[in-house]
Amino acid sequence: MNVLVIGSGGREHALAWKIAQSPLVEKVYGAPGNPGIDRLEKGACINVGVNDFEALDTYIEAEGIDLTVVGPEVPLVHGIVDFLEERGKRVFGPSKKAAQLEGSKSFAKEFMARHGIPTAESRTFDDLQEALAYVRSQPAPIVIKADGLAAGKGVTVAVSQAEAEAAIYAAMAEGAFGEAGARVVVEEYLTGEEASILAFCDGRTVKPLASSQDHKPVGENDEGPNTGGMGAYSPAPVVTDALMEEIVWDVLVPTSAGMAKEGTPYKGILYAGLMITENGPKVIEYNVRFGDPETQAILPRMETDLVPALLACCNGTLDSCEIRYSPRPCVSVVMASEGYPGVYAKAKEITGVDEAEALEDVAVFAAGVKRKGDQLFSSGGRVLNVTALGNTQRAAMEKAYQAVSCIHFEGAFYRRDIGAKALKHLE
Ligand code: AMP
Ligand code: GLY
């Protein structure tokens, strides 16, 4: 069969890389894809954007694509799954209504309240003055969230009331996030360690993937502004077997059951971003897709074929699908462009990827990369996801950083502590 992966980042390269390992698959396309996907033996890229539904449908038809996997949230929230399914295509991902779990934070909060799913206390505001008055009555720190999609930039963890007021003002009065910020959710500040739990869903059955943890702040020890994610590792030892059970029964199952009950069954990947608090796991956010960069650290550990799991989610047969992971930890380090997450440098030549990939247990996923002839150039803030498996967490970290040291581009930087939180639990 032929598979199409929609998107162009490291997550999509990792998906295509894993999909290409399936004996069921003849060809895997990326739309628009990236040089990492193009370079796969079974890989190819088609020059269509992720939001051009008509053109994507035309390609799916023309290339005889049997399964389409949607990477990013924007086309999901805009209804790409409904659009393609109406045209008879098989698509991995939630419907437009189900994608509201990520597309609207207030929807997600109300949904969790209806179904008793543990999350931070919150209030939703459409009126600037009411929002300002509310935060003035609350202690800091407090969390301000733009309701809609804001490319990961819509959340402010305000350490003072002045900062909270500024965040509300930016979203609601200055239009910093456009329409997405016209409504804001003001949320109780939670403390604890974060973990990402992704689950396959087919509308009825829920099967969690291996646990993982992202590193959102740009700097070591979680300092500096938030990014799209500076690295990830899997498994996350903070998620013990007992805690995973709790997450399955208190979060994932009620989410899937609640969506089904409300007439919007959830199919695809359900991503629960969790804070592991003293009072147990609480949902910080839902995402309706594979995490980036968590996927890059999870898929190398998946021993079973990914394609049957994707098909089972589409076909409603997930209960009989076996999914196994290697016990070996995986660490994925993001190499980023100078200036990221602010304005960053671009078009810097990248060398050493082949040397890094020649190391055993190493994969380098292209995130923000363009190719000209045989040369690779940076084209995004997050450029590469340098990923390694190891027999121990420490060995995986050492291997990943050994691979990082092979790769060069002007202004490249990375966090040197990806995976260190796992060591604290293990040692
Ligand atoms: P999000 O974009 O929703 O993932 O939020 C970005 C980051 O903000 C999260 O990864 C958390 O580190 C932080 N965050 C969001 N909500 C809360 C909360 N209620 N309490 C503490 N930190 C939060
Ligand atoms: N790693 C966070 C996200 O995928 O949104």
Side-chain angles (χ1 to χ4, degrees), residues 11 196 214 216 228-229 271 285 287 289-294:
R11 164 183 55 203
S196 305
D214 190 3
K216 288 216 169 96
Y271 168 136
E285 61 162 351
N287 292 323
R289 48 172 174 80
F290 283 98
D292 188 348
E294 290 93 330

Side-chain angles (χ1 to χ4, degrees), residues 193 211 213 233-240 393 421-423 425-426:
E193 195 171 331
S211 63
Q213 196 177 60
Y233 63 89
S234 173
V238 64
V239 183
T240 58
Q393 176 70 16
K421 270 189 211 151
L423 291 179
H425 286 279
L426 296 167

Side-chain angles (χ1 to χ4, degrees), residues 105 120 143 145 155 157 187-190 194 216 226 275 284-285:
K105 303 234 185 247
V143 183
K145 301 186 169 184
V155 174
V157 178
E187 202 172 83
E188 164 201 15
Y189 174 74
L190 298 174
E194 289 180 49
K216 288 216 169 96
N226 268 345
M275 187 72 84
I284 299 178
E285 61 162 351

